[in-house]
Amino acid sequence: MGAVTMEQLGRLGSAQTGAYLHPDIETLPRERLAALQLERLQDTVANAWAHVPLHRRRLDAAGARPGEIRSLDDLQRLPFTLKTDLRDEYPFGLFARPVEQLARLHASSGTTGKPTVVGYTGPDLSNWADLMARSMYGAGARPGDVVHNAYGYGLFTGGLGAHYGAERLGAVVVPMSGGATERQVTLIMDFKARVLCATPSYALAIAEVAEQQGVDLRRSSLRVGVFGAEPWSQAMRSEIEQRLGLKAVDIYGLSEILGPGVACECEAQAGLHGWEDHFLFEVLDPETQAPVPEGVAGELVITTLTKQALPMLRYRTRDITRWTTERCACGRTHGRILRIAGRSDDMLIIRGVNVYPSQVEAVLVGQPDIAPHYQLVVGREGHLDHVTVEVEAAPGVADDRFDAIAHGVVRHIKSMIGITTDVVVKRPGEIPRSQGKAVRVRDLRPKEV
Ligand code: DLL
């Protein structure tokens, strides 16, 4: 037998410690997964029809009553659910259980008007903890690990979602929440955290504060980062991995469907496994609502399969991604969504070119002389959108070089994305740091009425 490579050793290692948390379901052959999905879809439609007047009206009108769902293709006949439905039915109109039978409520603040309220029964919370535990295990977390949880606690689903997932896994949770960044650094070091949960922008803010404190997190016990809740680029991943000395995986979710743990990358870092035993994923053309072929970008639409309190039928997430069922190196059979490019609501049209903030990020991060912090300021000139990119000089770069740096960035954005922007270079620390979801766009366009 020839020499065993490090890579093979790694694989042997993970096989011995158990490559999956829920091996039977994570590697279930796709035909069996589909059979399970159909059974659960029928239950979900029955639950929504029986208990939610809005769903009953729409299902009746669409000719998709519970007995009429006979194959997964019938999914196409189900009506969509939109974020505005949650607002219109505020607070509990889409719930399929009376509120006294629920175990928890979460809500998103929402920039306009009423918040979006979501509810969970005890079994819903238990499924959520299972999915988060499965996600974190796939990312490389193990029972006994100290998990430093810097997602915000409270109505946001990030903090409590990661918290109960880590507990279900058998890990040791440090319930930090966001903020008090110097203290975060101290506790990561003192408690010997192996896993960090945070938004990618906040992970970077932690790295920056550590560097200012003279702490080298690359030499810390951190090995795994479970980062999500906002779009981030591959360039940002490399930057974070290098500065924190860990493997950074992408985790996706949204409160309307569950919270974090709808989909998560495994150690292969090749897209996020969407947990198909609990959700049905579709990627649709946002204009025509027709399904797009695998690998083609479109809007992610999700149907829940096990939610009791808030069954969701074909929820239009507005998130733009691609779907693949190609076999992953890890052996899981669940399909993958590829990195979320952004939300269709955040897409800018700059002289006819569609641009997401994360594309600009990919161009900026890793450039010499600038730090990985930025904001896009969007204005209107006549009928056209106009963007000023605010970037920040890296520490130690002299002010008299700012103009030259700005010109370089303008050229780089033009050549990589094909759009012309203004670029303003700010001093180190001038771009606001996030403690949760970063604000990447300041929209100064006049509001349409
Ligand atoms: O952000 C849940 C979450 C918490 C996910 C912690 C991951 C980690 P919401 O506040 O309802 O829920 O926001 C959901 O955030 O529709 C996406 O637009 C965006 N989003 C979430 N994860 C990612 C990601 C949580 N990995 C909205 N990449 C979603 C890009 C993401 N965007």
Side-chain angles (χ1 to χ4, degrees):
M1 209 174 91
V4 179
T5 63
M6 284 309 284
E7 197 199 340
Q8 284 167 330
L9 267 180
R11 259 189 264 133
L12 280 176
S14 62
Q16 277 157 5
T17 56
Y20 317 107
L21 187 62
H22 306 140
D24 294 348
I25 199 77
E26 289 178 60
T27 60
L28 196 67
R30 291 196 62 77
E31 320 79 68
R32 290 188 45 209
L33 204 44
L36 179 68
Q37 288 184 316
L38 176 58
E39 203 179 288
R40 291 182 167 180
L41 177 65
Q42 288 164 336
D43 290 348
T44 297
V45 172
N47 182 27
W49 188 85
H51 300 296
V52 185
L54 175 127
H55 287 316
R56 180 191 295 227
R57 273 199 312 278
R58 288 185 183 168
L59 288 166
D60 284 347
R65 283 175 205 88
E68 292 167 319
I69 307 299
R70 293 190 192 89
S71 81
L72 284 180
D73 291 339
D74 291 327
L75 179 66
Q76 303 288 320
R77 294 170 31 220
L78 297 186
F80 292 113
T81 308
L82 305 174
K83 187 161 192 112
T84 47
D85 293 326
L86 280 149
R87 298 236 168 91
D88 296 345
E89 299 289 324
Y90 177 87
F92 306 143
L94 288 188
F95 289 4
R97 293 287 180 280
V99 75
E100 62 273 18
Q101 286 179 22
L102 303 188
R104 196 182 315 152
L105 299 171
H106 277 280
S108 75
S109 51
T111 42
T112 49
K114 293 175 191 158
T116 308
V117 183
V118 298
Y120 306 78
T121 61
D124 288 338
L125 289 179
S126 183
N127 282 334
W128 185 12
D130 275 344
L131 287 181
M132 269 310 281
R134 185 196 290 179
S135 298
M136 293 169 97
Y137 192 95
R142 288 293 176 271
D145 282 353
V146 173
V147 174
H148 183 99
N149 185 14
Y151 284 120
Y153 279 67
L155 290 175
F156 174 52
T157 51
L160 289 177
H163 181 102
Y164 286 106
E167 281 195 357
R168 178 65 54 92
L169 179 63
V172 184
V173 196
V174 182
M176 269 308 286
S177 199
T181 311
E182 294 190 357
R183 190 138 179 262
Q184 304 251 3
V185 174
T186 308
L187 296 190
I188 287 171
M189 299 304 287
D190 292 354
F191 296 173
K192 304 215 173 349
R194 189 169 173 276
V195 181
L196 174 62
C197 297
T199 59
S201 58
Y202 192 52
L204 197 58
I206 294 175
E208 186 180 42
V209 168
E211 286 155 18
Q212 286 160 1
Q213 288 178 270
V215 174
D216 189 352
L217 286 178
R218 290 171 304 179
R219 293 172 187 278
S220 74
S221 45
L222 285 178
R223 294 290 175 275
V224 180
V226 184
F227 301 142
E230 63 185 6
W232 52 312
S233 58
Q234 182 59 38
M236 187 64 95
R237 162 142 62 198
S238 310
E239 173 90 20
I240 294 173
E241 289 192 328
Q242 200 226 313
R243 285 171 71 173
L244 287 166
L246 46 64
K247 184 171 228 180
V249 307
D250 194 359
I251 186 162
Y252 170 83
L254 62 169
S255 348
E256 297 91 316
I257 294 298
L258 181 78
V262 172
C264 189
E265 277 185 332
C266 60
E267 290 177 80
Q269 294 176 304
L272 302 84
H273 291 280
W275 300 127
E276 294 188 78
D277 49 334
H278 290 272
F279 309 104
L280 266 172
F281 297 90
E282 299 172 86
V283 177
L284 306 183
D285 182 316
E287 309 275 286
T288 63
Q289 279 106 49
V292 298
E294 277 201 18
V296 173
E299 179 182 344
L300 183 64
V301 173
I302 307 178
T303 301
T304 62
L305 294 175
T306 52
K307 288 277 289 295
Q308 295 181 329
L310 187 56
M312 272 292 174
L313 304 179
R314 303 188 87 198
Y315 185 70
R316 303 271 308 260
T317 66
R318 308 281 171 201
D319 291 321
I320 304 297
T321 186
R322 291 171 287 152
W323 174 255
T324 177
T325 54
E326 229 173 73
R327 192 66 175 242
C328 180
C330 72
R332 288 179 181 79
T333 50
H334 296 237
R336 282 166 289 157
I337 55 172
L338 303 181
R339 184 178 284 289
I340 304 270
R343 297 178 60 74
S344 51
D345 324 339
D346 293 341
M347 190 182 79
L348 304 168
I349 305 177
I350 312 295
R351 306 210 175 187
V353 183
N354 298 353
V355 186
Y356 291 99
S358 61
Q359 284 173 278
V360 178
E361 173 181 301
V363 173
L364 297 177
V365 175
Q367 283 293 299
D369 299 328
I370 58 174
H373 306 285
Y374 68 96
Q375 272 189 336
L376 310 187
V377 185
V378 187
R380 169 95 21 113
E381 273 172 12
H383 292 292
L384 298 177
D385 286 342
H386 176 267
V387 173
T388 302
V389 182
E390 297 187 346
V391 298
E392 202 179 277
V397 172
D399 289 20
D400 60 7
R401 300 206 29 235
F402 284 14
D403 272 354
I405 294 170
H407 281 119
V409 175
V410 169
R411 271 200 306 277
H412 203 52
I413 293 177
K414 175 80 187 163
S415 77
M416 301 297 288
I417 315 181
I419 55 166
T420 303
T421 59
D422 284 338
V423 172
V424 173
V425 180
K426 302 252 183 180
R427 293 210 173 84
E430 278 187 359
I431 307 260
R433 301 296 188 258
S434 88
Q435 297 185 350
K437 294 179 192 254
V439 178
R440 299 302 194 191
V441 177
R442 289 198 336 260
D443 193 344
L444 306 182
R445 287 172 294 189
K447 290 269 166 296
E448 277 157 35
V449 272

